Amino acid sequence: MSTLSQRSEIAATETYDLICFSHLRWDFVYQRPQHLLSRFAGHHRVFVVEEPVLRDGEPELLVTKRADNIYIALPNLPHGLDADKTAKVMVSLLDDLLRTYEIKNYITWYYTPMMLAWSEHLRPLAVVYDCMDQLSAFKGAPPELIVREAELFSIADLVFTGGQSLYEAKRDQHS
């Protein structure tokens, strides 16, 4: 893997896309992700990968264009997949997305560390973690969230927090 300065040089000189991994639905409420990513879409394609919906049938990634340069990728997965099988299916679906849309140079942007298992094989120009909330404190948060977040902190080039108190809670986890 290259250094941040090397990747920054590449990102500044080449056309690149952004792949965002979000636990929030794009069409639910217009909030921080939509504000930031819509502005980014003024210059780059943005692919927002949402959490899967479960249904009968074969796995598929439904991609819809919402606005200029904004594509929402909604995974439709069959009922009954465990976390390992879900990750394998999502890796395949993401690879298909990259092939179909000819995504070669890209930044990955995370709103949740739980999607890291789907994207660990990717080789982005840079990794951004936009930590809006203390997700591990939410009711029903998966126990592996803390471990996944530590992994995301270890690979992130840039981390944003959703406010001063969250910054205080996270500042020792990333420079």
Side-chain angles (χ1 to χ4, degrees), residues 70-146:
I70 297 177
Y71 300 83
I72 307 305
L74 178 63
N76 283 252
L77 303 181
H79 298 278
L81 296 180
D82 63 21
D84 289 338
K85 287 181 184 170
T86 296
K88 286 178 184 170
V89 168
M90 285 305 303
V91 165
S92 176
L93 293 175
L94 284 172
D95 287 347
D96 288 345
L97 177 74
L98 269 64
R99 257 189 313 281
T100 300
Y101 287 88
E102 297 179 358
I103 303 169
K104 294 180 178 30
N105 297 312
Y106 53 90
I107 292 171
T108 52
W109 184 295
Y110 293 84
Y111 281 104
T112 175
M114 293 309 295
M115 294 182 181
L116 195 56
W118 308 348
S119 58
E120 291 172 311
H121 70 294
L122 299 177
R123 297 293 169 244
L125 297 170
V127 176
V128 177
Y129 178 26
D130 192 353
C131 181
M132 294 190 334
D133 294 300
Q134 183 74 340
L135 295 175
S136 60
F138 284 24
K139 183 179 180 179
E144 63 271 17
L145 181 66
I146 294 170

Side-chain angles (χ1 to χ4, degrees), residues 10-166:
I10 293 168
T13 60
E14 293 186 23
T15 301
Y16 59 94
D17 298 308
L18 185 141
I19 304 171
C20 174
F21 296 94
S22 180
H23 61 294
L24 303 167
R25 298 275 181 227
W26 183 264
D27 293 327
F28 179 59
V29 176
Y30 198 88
Q31 54 191 332
R32 178 183 172 129
Q34 289 84 347
H35 285 283
L36 294 174
L37 298 175
S38 293
R39 293 191 71 179
F40 197 85
H43 304 282
H44 308 275
R45 292 186 304 174
V46 174
F47 296 86
V48 180
V49 179
E50 295 184 339
E51 286 191 332
V53 293
L54 302 178
R55 61 165 180 76
D56 295 329
E58 293 298 310
E60 65 179 328
L61 191 63
L62 299 177
V63 180
T64 56
K65 190 171 183 180
R66 287 291 198 277
D68 287 342
N69 285 335
I70 297 177
Y71 300 83
I72 307 305
L74 178 63
N76 283 252
L77 303 181
H79 298 278
L81 296 180
D82 63 21
D84 289 338
K85 287 181 184 170
T86 296
K88 286 178 184 170
V89 168
M90 285 305 303
V91 165
S92 176
L93 293 175
L94 284 172
D95 287 347
D96 288 345
L97 177 74
L98 269 64
R99 257 189 313 281
T100 300
Y101 287 88
E102 297 179 358
I103 303 169
K104 294 180 178 30
N105 297 312
Y106 53 90
I107 292 171
T108 52
W109 184 295
Y110 293 84
Y111 281 104
T112 175
M114 293 309 295
M115 294 182 181
L116 195 56
W118 308 348
S119 58
E120 291 172 311
H121 70 294
L122 299 177
R123 297 293 169 244
L125 297 170
V127 176
V128 177
Y129 178 26
D130 192 353
C131 181
M132 294 190 334
D133 294 300
Q134 183 74 340
L135 295 175
S136 60
F138 284 24
K139 183 179 180 179
E144 63 271 17
L145 181 66
I146 294 170
V147 172
R148 281 291 180 190
E149 185 176 63
E151 291 173 18
L152 185 51
F153 274 123
S154 75
I155 64 166
D157 296 299
L158 179 63
V159 176
F160 296 109
T161 58
Q164 186 64 32
S165 61
L166 193 54

